[in-house]
Coordinates of all heavy atoms in Angstrom, one line a residue:
D1 N 81.3 117.5 77.9 CA 82.2 118.0 78.9 C 83.5 118.2 78.2 O 84.3 117.2 78.0 CB 82.3 116.9 80.0 CG 83.1 117.4 81.2 OD1 84.0 118.3 81.0 OD2 82.9 116.9 82.3
N2 N 83.8 119.5 78.0 CA 85.1 119.8 77.2 C 86.3 119.4 78.0 O 87.3 119.0 77.4 CB 85.1 121.2 76.8 CG 84.1 121.6 75.8 OD1 83.7 120.8 75.0 ND2 83.6 122.8 75.9
A3 N 86.3 119.5 79.3 CA 87.5 119.1 80.1 C 87.8 117.6 80.0 O 88.9 117.2 80.2 CB 87.2 119.5 81.6
K4 N 86.8 116.8 79.7 CA 86.9 115.4 79.6 C 86.9 114.9 78.2 O 87.0 113.7 77.9 CB 85.9 114.7 80.4 CG 85.9 114.9 81.9 CD 84.9 114.1 82.6 CE 85.0 114.3 84.1 NZ 84.0 113.5 84.9
N5 N 86.8 115.8 77.2 CA 86.7 115.4 75.8 C 85.6 114.4 75.6 O 85.8 113.4 74.8 CB 88.1 114.9 75.3 CG 89.1 116.0 75.1 OD1 88.8 117.1 75.2 ND2 90.4 115.5 74.9
T6 N 84.5 114.6 76.2 CA 83.4 113.6 76.2 C 82.1 114.2 75.7 O 81.8 115.4 76.1 CB 83.2 113.0 77.6 OG1 84.5 112.4 78.0 CG2 82.1 112.0 77.6
V7 N 81.3 113.5 74.9 CA 80.0 113.9 74.5 C 79.0 112.8 75.0 O 79.4 111.6 75.1 CB 79.9 114.1 73.0 CG1 80.2 112.8 72.3 CG2 78.5 114.6 72.6
Y8 N 77.8 113.2 75.5 CA 76.8 112.3 76.0 C 75.6 112.4 75.2 O 75.3 113.4 74.6 CB 76.5 112.7 77.5 CG 77.7 112.7 78.4 CD1 78.4 113.9 78.6 CD2 78.2 111.6 79.0 CE1 79.4 114.0 79.5 CE2 79.3 111.6 79.8 CZ 79.9 112.8 80.1 OH 81.0 112.9 80.9
L9 N 74.8 111.3 75.3 CA 73.4 111.3 74.7 C 72.5 110.7 75.7 O 72.6 109.5 76.0 CB 73.4 110.5 73.4 CG 72.1 110.5 72.7 CD1 71.7 111.9 72.2 CD2 72.0 109.5 71.5
Q10 N 71.6 111.5 76.3 CA 70.6 111.0 77.2 C 69.4 110.6 76.4 O 68.8 111.5 75.7 CB 70.3 112.0 78.3 CG 69.2 111.6 79.2 CD 69.6 110.5 80.1 OE1 70.7 110.5 80.7 NE2 68.7 109.5 80.3
M11 N 68.9 109.4 76.4 CA 67.8 108.9 75.7 C 66.7 108.5 76.6 O 66.8 107.6 77.4 CB 68.2 107.8 74.8 CG 69.3 108.1 73.8 SD 69.7 106.7 72.7 CE 70.3 105.5 73.9
N12 N 65.5 109.2 76.5 CA 64.4 108.9 77.3 C 63.2 108.4 76.5 O 63.1 108.6 75.3 CB 64.0 110.2 78.1 CG 65.0 110.7 79.0 OD1 65.8 109.9 79.7 ND2 65.1 112.0 79.2
S13 N 62.2 107.8 77.2 CA 61.0 107.3 76.5 C 61.3 106.5 75.2 O 60.8 106.7 74.2 CB 60.1 108.5 76.1 OG 59.7 109.2 77.3
L14 N 62.3 105.6 75.4 CA 62.8 104.8 74.3 C 61.7 103.9 73.7 O 60.8 103.4 74.4 CB 63.9 104.0 74.7 CG 65.2 104.8 74.9 CD1 66.3 103.9 75.7 CD2 65.8 105.1 73.5
K15 N 61.8 103.8 72.3 CA 60.8 103.0 71.6 C 61.6 101.9 70.8 O 62.8 102.0 70.6 CB 60.1 103.9 70.5 CG 59.4 105.1 71.1 CD 58.9 106.0 70.0 CE 58.2 107.2 70.6 NZ 57.7 108.1 69.5
P16 N 60.9 100.8 70.5 CA 61.6 99.7 69.7 C 62.3 100.2 68.5 O 63.3 99.7 68.1 CB 60.4 98.8 69.4 CG 59.5 98.9 70.6 CD 59.5 100.4 70.9
E17 N 61.7 101.2 67.8 CA 62.3 101.7 66.6 C 63.6 102.5 66.8 O 64.3 102.9 65.9 CB 61.3 102.6 65.8 CG 60.6 103.7 66.6 CD 59.3 103.2 67.1 OE1 59.1 102.1 67.6 OE2 58.3 104.0 67.0
D18 N 63.9 102.8 68.1 CA 65.2 103.4 68.4 C 66.4 102.3 68.4 O 67.5 102.7 68.5 CB 65.2 104.0 69.8 CG 64.2 105.2 69.8 OD1 64.2 106.0 68.9 OD2 63.5 105.4 70.9
T19 N 66.0 101.1 68.3 CA 67.0 100.0 68.3 C 68.0 100.2 67.1 O 67.6 100.3 65.9 CB 66.4 98.6 68.2 OG1 65.6 98.4 69.3 CG2 67.4 97.6 68.0
A20 N 69.3 100.3 67.4 CA 70.3 100.6 66.3 C 71.7 100.5 67.0 O 71.8 100.5 68.2 CB 70.1 101.9 65.7
I21 N 72.7 100.6 66.1 CA 74.0 100.9 66.6 C 74.2 102.4 66.6 O 74.0 103.0 65.6 CB 75.1 100.2 65.7 CG1 74.9 98.7 65.7 CG2 76.5 100.5 66.2 CD1 75.9 98.0 64.8
Y22 N 74.6 102.9 67.7 CA 74.8 104.4 67.9 C 76.3 104.7 67.8 O 77.1 104.1 68.5 CB 74.3 104.9 69.2 CG 72.7 104.9 69.2 CD1 72.0 103.8 69.1 CD2 72.1 106.2 69.1 CE1 70.6 103.8 69.1 CE2 70.7 106.2 69.1 CZ 70.0 105.1 69.1 OH 68.6 105.1 69.0
Y23 N 76.7 105.6 66.9 CA 78.0 106.0 66.6 C 78.3 107.4 67.0 O 77.5 108.3 66.8 CB 78.3 105.9 65.1 CG 78.3 104.5 64.5 CD1 77.1 104.0 64.0 CD2 79.4 103.6 64.6 CE1 77.0 102.7 63.5 CE2 79.3 102.3 64.0 CZ 78.1 101.9 63.5 OH 78.0 100.6 63.0
C24 N 79.5 107.6 67.6 CA 80.0 108.9 68.0 C 80.8 109.5 66.8 O 81.5 108.7 66.1 CB 80.8 108.8 69.2 SG 81.6 110.4 69.7
N25 N 80.7 110.8 66.6 CA 81.4 111.5 65.5 C 82.0 112.8 66.0 O 81.3 113.5 66.8 CB 80.4 111.7 64.3 CG 81.0 112.6 63.3 OD1 80.5 113.8 63.2 ND2 81.9 112.1 62.5
A26 N 83.2 113.1 65.6 CA 83.8 114.4 66.0 C 84.8 114.9 65.0 O 85.5 114.1 64.4 CB 84.4 114.2 67.4
E27 N 84.9 116.2 64.9 CA 85.9 116.8 64.1 C 87.1 117.2 65.0 O 86.9 118.1 65.9 CB 85.4 118.0 63.3 CG 86.4 118.6 62.3 CD 85.8 119.8 61.6 OE1 84.9 120.5 62.1 OE2 86.3 120.1 60.5
L28 N 88.2 116.6 64.8 CA 89.4 116.8 65.6 C 90.6 117.4 64.9 O 90.8 117.1 63.7 CB 89.8 115.5 66.2 CG 88.7 114.6 66.9 CD1 89.3 113.3 67.3 CD2 88.1 115.3 68.0
W29 N 91.3 118.3 65.6 CA 92.6 118.9 65.1 C 93.7 118.1 65.7 O 93.9 118.1 66.9 CB 92.7 120.3 65.4 CG 94.0 120.9 64.9 CD1 95.1 121.2 65.7 CD2 94.3 121.4 63.6 NE1 96.1 121.7 64.9 CE2 95.6 121.9 63.6 CE3 93.6 121.4 62.4 CZ2 96.2 122.4 62.5 CZ3 94.2 121.9 61.3 CH2 95.5 122.4 61.3
T30 N 94.5 117.5 64.9 CA 95.7 116.8 65.4 C 96.9 117.6 65.1 O 97.0 118.7 65.6 CB 95.8 115.4 64.7 OG1 95.8 115.5 63.3 CG2 94.6 114.5 65.1
D31 N 97.9 117.1 64.4 CA 99.2 117.8 64.2 C 99.1 118.8 63.0 O 99.7 119.9 63.1 CB 100.3 116.8 63.9 CG 100.8 116.2 65.2 OD1 100.5 116.7 66.3 OD2 101.5 115.2 65.1
Y32 N 98.3 118.5 62.0 CA 98.4 119.4 60.8 C 97.1 119.6 60.1 O 97.1 120.4 59.1 CB 99.5 118.8 59.8 CG 99.1 117.5 59.2 CD1 98.5 117.4 58.0 CD2 99.4 116.3 59.9 CE1 98.1 116.2 57.4 CE2 99.0 115.1 59.3 CZ 98.4 115.1 58.1 OH 98.0 113.9 57.5
H33 N 96.0 119.0 60.5 CA 94.8 119.2 59.8 C 93.6 118.9 60.7 O 93.7 118.2 61.7 CB 94.8 118.5 58.5 CG 94.6 117.0 58.6 ND1 95.2 116.3 59.7 CD2 94.0 116.1 57.9 CE1 94.9 115.0 59.5 NE2 94.2 114.8 58.4
W34 N 92.4 119.3 60.2 CA 91.1 118.8 60.8 C 90.7 117.5 60.1 O 90.8 117.4 58.9 CB 90.0 119.9 60.6 CG 90.2 121.1 61.4 CD1 90.7 122.3 61.0 CD2 89.8 121.3 62.8 NE1 90.6 123.2 62.0 CE2 90.1 122.6 63.1 CE3 89.3 120.4 63.7 CZ2 89.9 123.1 64.4 CZ3 89.1 120.9 65.0 CH2 89.4 122.2 65.3
E35 N 90.2 116.6 60.9 CA 89.8 115.4 60.4 C 88.6 114.9 61.2 O 88.5 115.0 62.4 CB 90.9 114.3 60.5 CG 90.6 113.0 59.9 CD 91.8 112.0 59.8 OE1 92.9 112.5 60.1 OE2 91.6 110.9 59.5
W36 N 87.6 114.3 60.4 CA 86.4 113.7 61.1 C 86.8 112.3 61.5 O 87.3 111.5 60.7 CB 85.3 113.7 60.1 CG 84.7 115.0 59.9 CD1 84.9 115.9 58.9 CD2 83.7 115.7 60.8 NE1 84.2 117.1 59.1 CE2 83.5 117.0 60.2 CE3 83.1 115.3 62.0 CZ2 82.6 117.9 60.8 CZ3 82.2 116.2 62.6 CH2 82.0 117.5 62.0
Y37 N 86.4 111.9 62.7 CA 86.6 110.6 63.3 C 85.3 110.0 63.7 O 84.3 110.7 64.0 CB 87.5 110.6 64.5 CG 88.9 110.9 64.2 CD1 89.4 112.2 64.0 CD2 89.9 109.9 64.1 CE1 90.7 112.5 63.7 CE2 91.2 110.2 63.9 CZ 91.6 111.5 63.7 OH 92.9 111.7 63.4
W38 N 85.2 108.7 63.6 CA 84.0 107.9 64.0 C 84.4 106.9 65.0 O 85.5 106.3 65.0 CB 83.4 107.1 62.8 CG 82.8 108.0 61.8 CD1 83.3 108.6 60.7 CD2 81.4 108.4 61.8 NE1 82.4 109.3 60.0 CE2 81.2 109.2 60.7 CE3 80.3 108.2 62.7 CZ2 80.0 109.8 60.4 CZ3 79.1 108.7 62.4 CH2 79.0 109.5 61.2

């Protein structure tokens, strides 16, 4: 949802092997450069 600066992940039919820490990642433009954030 670009208006909310939000990304979603819908996960269905989950399996035990899906167990993990899930991290969000994005390339953002701030004042003077592009930078990857976690």
Side-chain angles (χ1 to χ4, degrees):
D1 185 337
N2 291 329
K4 295 183 176 181
N5 288 348
T6 301
V7 62
Y8 306 94
L9 183 68
Q10 178 67 45
M11 304 184 292
N12 299 324
S13 301
L14 284 164
K15 305 174 181 179
E17 50 263 44
D18 294 320
T19 295
I21 300 175
Y22 285 70
Y23 295 92
C24 178
N25 169 252
E27 187 180 23
L28 310 177
W29 178 263
T30 56
D31 282 343
Y32 66 95
H33 73 324
W34 289 100
E35 183 175 351
W36 287 97
Y37 288 82
W38 291 91

